[in-house]
């Protein structure tokens, strides 16, 4: 049967089927022979320990000679095979050292073709790319492939996969360029989230490269990313993509435009939160540089302007006069290149001009951020945080760390940088101090916190005159203690911070005019199908509450939040029997703030419906269930008070007077207009129920 079928195909002039020589999907190399240490005992399953992420291979396994790191050497030799097609195609990556990291084709014992990976310099990429050899001249002859790793230094390894004999000439993506006159403000780039070929794009003006980024350029775009070209308006630009498929129109689709793509639809998208910040386009993660100055709150944020996923780290920027309504401003810090991204950091007002950078009447702002290529860098702004000038002595701290947190320590009149560090292979927060934000001296360190440190001082509620320092980091775990300007001395063990999920890398504003400590965290809340992704939490005022266990952090919505309330329904004063509900309807899909004061009799459960978010309180267990995530919430004097905020991709619950803050990503059900509570398994006394329908934080909405 099979023979006849193949024969028929041949008669019909169909392509001869490809012959897969190796796909490296097995637990071992099969008939291939590995010698030396570099290739390990069998194919790698993707990235090996200590390696940058490996991508671009087929299936689960590949040849990866990074076993034991770059130091190891070896060869991997195929069994002998006859050449039966015109081409051998394969995927190759890793080191670009001819003769030392390469694939070799041997015909009758002689090397006739070779190929290497692309990398010879630090940086680079572990992505495998398609390549092929024309083997027509040796049809019918016997051949072998040898993968060679004889290099021991940087990029001393080679990756390969999916080796195939074929008659169809492989189409290899390659560099492409386009010139265009910049007559408008923005360049719009066609993007399709998930497009298989990520491009490295460079933008050059008059021969000088001004921008570099990775982007999922695609002929069938789902959306367009914008690049603000204001400084170069009127000039000619050259766009270059590194590996466009032949015939791709993606570069032709780039347009110059005065507005961003579908500007009129921004903030009206189905999954756009209406009470929580997110960027107009692209990705955000950590909040950065949070500071109040010149009558405005600044929220900078980790930002990929060109994609839905993490990458290309820039500092996006938004401002607010009331902490809740945000206006997005142009990008504050661009990545200089893919090897010099702008990672997280913080900002302060240099009131006494200790740095000497002040000009004019505005508050002088200074920020510190991690340049992935250089170290901790500082920059300053005299124009209300819109544009930033890099200190020419950057980097100011060089170490194995990131995420500098600046603060002014008034008693010792010095600047403090609390920064994450991985010295000695451990996780530390290291404290450096400086008189002028430029010269820094390392003072002390404390082990056990991971990335994005933050530190602030708070009064202890109910203990007049008593103030304590709180040291926290990305997970929101914290310690309470003292700080003398050089060293933090904990007085508690590490305590649990928020009780939810997907709240990360929070930071507090410096210089709040009322002296409050106000925190915003990154909500890891995806918005699938949108041209933007992730969000920020509500602005949260922190306090230190004296409890039986000692001082503990408490969270509440800032007072300004009340300004979002559009209409309020006050219900309650009713005892619900099992099976009974008390509900209120809020048309539309806008955000809701619902406040409940309840008493569950015996083992009764209070089951809430708030825009379809499954939420329940189990009176018997003293446990709150936030969309499947369980949180202990004790009743106090038989009563439970809950504040629930729902928006389109997230929910935030405050309980136990704020000692419990449980945020959680959750996509609210469209069309769920009911807000209310019901009783299950017993009686629930609804002492009060106040439902606020919230307006939008977005300009003009
Ligand atoms: C935390 C983090 C930081 C880093 C930034 C990069 O989410 O990994 O440590 O500076 O994100 O975007």
């Amino acid at each position: 049967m099979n023979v006849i079928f193949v024969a028929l195909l041949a008669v019909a002039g169909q392509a001869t089927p490809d012959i897969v020589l190796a796909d490296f999907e097995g637990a071992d190399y099969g008939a291939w022979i590995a010698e030396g240490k570099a290739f390990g005992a069998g194919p790698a399953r993707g990235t090996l320990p200590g390696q940058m992420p490996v991508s671009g291979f087929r299936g689960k396994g590949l040849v990866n000679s990074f076993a034991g790191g770059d130091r190891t050497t070896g060869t991997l030799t195929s069994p002998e095979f006859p050449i039966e097609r015109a081409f051998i195609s394969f995927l190759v990556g890793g080191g670009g050292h001819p003769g030392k990291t390469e694939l070799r084709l041997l015909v009758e014992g002689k090397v006739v073709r070779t190929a290497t990976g692309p990398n010879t310099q630090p940086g680079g990429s572990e992505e495998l790319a398609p390549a092929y050899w024309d083997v027509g001249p040796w049809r019918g002859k016997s051949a072998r492939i040898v993968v060679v790793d004889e290099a021991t230094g940087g990029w001393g390894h080679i990756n390969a996969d999916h080796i195939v004999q074929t008659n169809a000439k492989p189409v290899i993506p390659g560099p492409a360029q386009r010139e265009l006159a910049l007559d408008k403000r923005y360049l719009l780039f066609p993007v399709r989230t998930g497009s298989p070929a990520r491009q490295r794009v460079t933008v050059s003006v008059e021969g000088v490269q001004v921008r570099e980024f990775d982007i999922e350029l695609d002929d069938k775009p789902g959306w367009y990313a914008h690049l603000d070209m204001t400084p170069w308006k009127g000039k000619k630009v050259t766009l270059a993509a590194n590996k466009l498929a032949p015939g791709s129109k993606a570069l032709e689709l780039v347009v110059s435009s005065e507005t961003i793509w579908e500007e009129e639809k921004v903030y009206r998208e189905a999954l756009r939160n209406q009470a929580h910040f997110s960027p107009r386009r692209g990705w955000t993660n950590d909040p950065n540089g949070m500071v109040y100055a010149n009558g405005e709150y600044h929220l900078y944020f980790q930002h990929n302007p060109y994609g839905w996923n993490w990458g290309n780290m820039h500092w996006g920027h938004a401002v607010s006069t009331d902490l809740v309504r945000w206006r997005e401003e142009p990008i504050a810090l661009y990545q200089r290149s893919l090897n010099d991204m702008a990672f997280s950091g913080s900002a302060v007002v240099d009131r006494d001009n200790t740095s000497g950078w002040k000009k004019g009447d505005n508050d002088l702002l200074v920020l510190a951020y991690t340049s992935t290529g250089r170290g901790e860098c500082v920059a300053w702004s005299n124009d209300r945080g819109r544009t930033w000038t890099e200190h020419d002595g950057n980097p100011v701290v060089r170490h194995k760390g990131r995420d500098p947190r600046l603060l002014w320590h008034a008693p010792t009149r010095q600047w403090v940088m609390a920064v994450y560090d991985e010295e000695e292979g451990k996780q530390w927060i290291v404290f450096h101090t400086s008189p002028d934000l430029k010269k820094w001296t390392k003072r002390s360190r404390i082990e056990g916190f991971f990335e994005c440190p933050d530190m602030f001082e708070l009064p202890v509620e109910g203990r007049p005159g008593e103030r304590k320092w709180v040291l926290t980091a990305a997970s929101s775990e914290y310690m309470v203690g003292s700080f003398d300007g050089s060293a933090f001395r904990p007085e508690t063990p590490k305590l649990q911070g928020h009780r939810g999920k997907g709240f990360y890398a929070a930071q507090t504003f410096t210089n709040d005019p009322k002296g409050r400590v106000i925190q915003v965290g990154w909500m890891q809340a995806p918005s699938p199908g949108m041209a933007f992704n992730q969000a920020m939490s509500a602005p949260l005022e922190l306090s230190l509450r004296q409890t039986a266990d000692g001082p503990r952090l408490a969270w509440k919505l800032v007072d300004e939040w009340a300004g979002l309330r559009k209409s309020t329904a006050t219900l309650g004063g009713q005892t619900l029997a099992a099976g009974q509900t008390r509900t209120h309807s809020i048309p539309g899909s806008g955000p809701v703030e619902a406040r409940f004061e309840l008493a569950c009799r015996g083992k009764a459960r209070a089951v809430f419906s708030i825009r379809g978010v499954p939420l329940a309180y189990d009176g018997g267990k003293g446990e709150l269930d936030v969309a499947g995530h369980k949180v202990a919430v004790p009743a106090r004097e038989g009563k439970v008070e809950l504040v629930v905020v729902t928006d389109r991709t997230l929910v935030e619950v405050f309980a136990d007077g704020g000692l419990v803050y449980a945020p959680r990503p959750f996509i609210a059900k469209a069309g769920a207009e009911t807000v209310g509570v019901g009783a299950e398994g017993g009686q629930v006394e609804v002492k009060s129920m106040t439902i606020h329908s919230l307006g939008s934080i977005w300009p003009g909405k």
Side-chain angles (χ1 to χ4, degrees):
M1 260 292 249
N2 273 342
V3 175
I4 294 167
F5 185 61
V6 171
L8 283 177
L9 278 179
V11 171
Q14 297 278 341
T16 39
D18 290 350
I19 302 164
V20 178
L21 289 173
D23 232 343
F24 306 105
E25 292 301 301
D28 57 35
Y29 285 117
W32 290 57
I33 292 164
E35 281 166 288
K37 294 242 156 68
F39 293 89
R45 304 244 125 190
T47 309
L48 291 170
Q51 195 173 26
M52 291 197 292
V54 178
S55 62
F57 54 98
R58 284 266 291 248
K60 295 214 163 73
L62 77 154
V63 175
N64 180 347
S65 78
F66 196 74
D70 275 331
R71 267 163 309 166
T72 51
T73 59
T75 56
L76 179 68
T77 306
S78 78
E80 223 159 293
F81 62 90
I83 295 186
E84 294 173 273
R85 299 286 185 270
F87 305 97
I88 294 178
S89 71
F90 49 89
L91 299 164
V92 63
H97 309 292
K100 298 206 148 176
T101 57
E102 69 180 16
L103 262 73
R104 289 180 190 152
L105 177 70
L106 283 79
V107 175
E108 290 166 352
K110 268 184 40 208
V111 179
V112 296
R113 292 276 186 265
T114 62
T116 72
N119 303 289
T120 53
Q121 304 286 326
S125 159
E126 287 280 14
E127 187 174 2
L128 278 70
Y132 71 94
W133 293 314
D134 175 352
V135 294
W138 302 287
R139 241 179 212 260
K141 301 232 159 115
S142 177
R144 261 186 218 283
I145 290 169
V146 187
V147 191
V148 179
D149 176 358
E150 282 171 12
T152 52
W155 285 109
H157 66 277
I158 179 128
N159 303 333
D161 197 17
H162 198 59
I163 307 178
V164 177
Q165 295 206 55
T166 180
N167 277 339
K169 186 169 180 180
V171 188
I172 305 294
Q177 278 206 357
R178 178 181 164 203
E179 282 215 351
L180 133 158
L182 258 191
D183 48 352
K184 311 223 171 65
R185 174 172 179 180
Y186 295 104
L187 282 176
L188 305 185
F189 291 84
V191 175
R192 187 158 58 82
T193 303
S195 185
R198 278 170 82 72
Q199 301 296 320
R200 183 143 303 179
V201 167
T202 58
V203 179
S204 306
V205 179
E206 289 165 357
V208 178
Q209 182 178 312
V210 297
R211 298 285 181 242
E212 181 190 42
F213 49 89
D214 285 335
I215 184 166
E216 293 163 320
L217 271 195
D218 202 277
D219 287 25
K220 297 197 179 67
W223 57 282
Y224 283 77
H226 56 271
L227 172 62
D228 191 344
M229 293 296 287
T230 302
W232 305 287
K233 212 168 153 177
K235 305 229 157 120
K236 267 221 167 77
V237 286
T238 307
L239 308 177
N242 66 333
K243 46 175 176 182
L244 220 52
S248 165
K249 293 272 173 298
L251 273 185
E252 305 312 309
L253 291 176
V254 176
V255 287
S256 176
S257 163
E258 275 312 330
T259 54
I260 71 169
W261 178 70
E262 295 199 339
E263 188 159 285
E264 66 293 348
K265 295 191 188 155
V266 175
Y267 302 133
R268 296 174 194 276
E269 303 94 335
L271 293 184
R272 176 74 71 180
N273 290 312
Q274 293 297 304
H276 295 84
F277 178 79
S278 54
R280 293 180 298 176
R281 296 273 180 266
W283 159 276
T284 185
N285 51 294
D286 313 351
N288 292 155
M290 291 168 52
V291 59
Y292 176 87
N294 306 295
E296 294 172 318
Y297 289 94
H298 294 269
L299 173 63
Y300 298 90
F301 51 92
Q302 286 288 282
H303 185 33
N304 178 3
Y306 318 109
W308 192 83
N309 290 299
W310 186 92
N312 297 311
M313 281 295 120
H314 292 55
W315 275 34
H317 186 203
V319 295
S320 173
T321 52
D322 66 1
L323 282 168
V324 289
R325 294 179 180 82
W326 294 97
R327 194 180 66 239
E328 192 170 335
E329 292 284 327
I331 284 168
L333 297 179
Y334 281 82
Q335 69 183 10
R336 292 186 167 190
S337 71
L338 269 310
N339 296 323
D340 193 344
M341 300 194 209
F343 270 22
S344 285
S346 57
V348 288
V349 172
D350 181 5
R351 191 151 314 281
D352 298 335
N353 193 22
T354 61
S355 60
W357 286 323
K358 188 170 167 89
K359 269 203 203 94
D361 295 333
N362 289 328
D363 286 342
L364 165 63
L365 285 165
V366 179
L367 65 76
Y369 75 97
T370 302
S371 143
T372 56
R374 289 171 291 146
E376 309 312 345
C377 292
V378 292
W380 43 272
S381 170
N382 278 307
D383 67 351
R384 307 166 71 235
R386 282 8 184 224
T387 62
W388 294 86
T389 308
E390 284 238 5
H391 169 42
D392 51 19
N394 276 338
V396 293
V397 172
R398 236 190 269 254
H399 63 152
K400 289 191 181 141
R402 59 179 178 272
D403 310 335
R405 177 38 157 172
L406 297 179
L407 59 104
W408 174 247
H409 188 254
T412 54
R413 300 198 49 78
Q414 63 184 344
W415 296 103
V416 177
M417 181 193 289
V419 63
Y420 174 64
D421 203 326
E422 289 177 350
E423 51 193 28
E424 297 160 24
K426 295 183 184 150
Q427 302 183 338
W428 310 90
I429 305 301
V430 176
F431 296 93
H432 302 253
T433 63
S434 170
D436 58 3
L437 292 156
K438 301 173 192 171
K439 294 180 296 294
W440 292 91
T441 310
K442 187 166 150 187
R443 299 289 181 191
S444 69
R445 61 182 190 180
I446 179 166
E447 205 192 329
F449 286 97
F450 180 59
E451 9 182 84
C452 305
D454 194 8
M455 200 169 63
F456 42 85
E457 197 186 17
L458 280 169
V460 184
E461 279 184 9
R463 302 226 168 168
E466 199 173 319
R467 297 177 72 82
K468 299 263 178 223
W469 282 86
V470 175
L471 177 66
T472 178
S475 69
S476 143
E477 289 167 309
Y478 66 100
M479 285 177 175
V480 182
S482 67
F483 183 63
D484 61 6
S486 294
F488 176 83
R489 289 188 182 78
E491 293 166 11
T492 65
K494 209 156 72 168
L495 302 165
Q496 196 183 355
H498 78 85
R499 306 296 162 87
K501 272 180 101 169
F503 173 95
Y504 197 70
Q507 187 176 110
T508 55
F509 285 97
T510 56
N511 200 39
D512 176 67
K514 295 183 183 151
R516 296 171 296 178
V517 175
I518 298 163
Q519 184 182 59
V520 172
W522 163 31
M523 285 300 308
Q524 298 169 325
S527 31
M530 303 288 114
F532 60 92
N533 192 14
Q534 313 287 306
M536 294 298 163
S537 74
L540 307 161
E541 183 176 348
L542 304 186
S543 56
L544 262 188
R545 179 91 34 89
Q546 190 59 39
T547 72
D549 301 323
R552 293 291 182 269
L553 275 181
W555 287 257
K556 68 166 193 165
L557 294 163
V558 293
D559 292 344
E560 291 90 331
W561 182 266
L564 283 178
R565 295 173 188 157
K566 272 197 316 197
S567 65
T568 298
T570 312
L571 302 95
Q574 186 184 358
T575 299
L576 304 176
Q580 248 189 329
T581 58
R582 182 90 168 100
T583 60
H584 175 69
S585 168
I586 300 186
S589 60
V592 168
E593 174 193 344
R595 294 180 172 255
F596 301 92
E597 212 188 336
L598 311 162
C600 293
R601 302 261 162 82
K603 295 198 166 156
R605 270 163 56 90
V607 180
F608 305 86
S609 70
I610 301 162
R611 290 263 187 260
V613 179
L615 196 79
Y617 181 74
D618 188 317
K621 292 190 191 148
E623 189 179 79
L624 188 68
D625 182 329
V626 187
H629 178 73
K630 305 277 195 333
V631 190
V633 174
R636 303 273 180 201
E637 289 157 13
K639 260 189 346 192
V640 176
E641 287 180 26
L642 298 176
V643 179
V644 184
V645 172
T646 62
D647 210 337
R648 292 186 180 153
T649 69
L650 60 96
V651 48
E652 293 172 285
V653 183
F654 303 80
D656 201 11
L659 290 171
V660 171
Y661 168 57
R664 175 139 170 48
F666 187 85
I667 296 188
K669 283 197 193 81
E673 300 191 337
T674 354
V675 178
V677 61
E680 273 182 10
Q683 286 183 333
V684 174
E685 187 188 342
V686 184
K687 293 177 182 288
S688 74
M689 168 164 152
T690 308
I691 297 161
H692 303 286
S693 154
L694 302 176
S696 171
I697 66 167
W698 301 117
K701 299 287 171 303

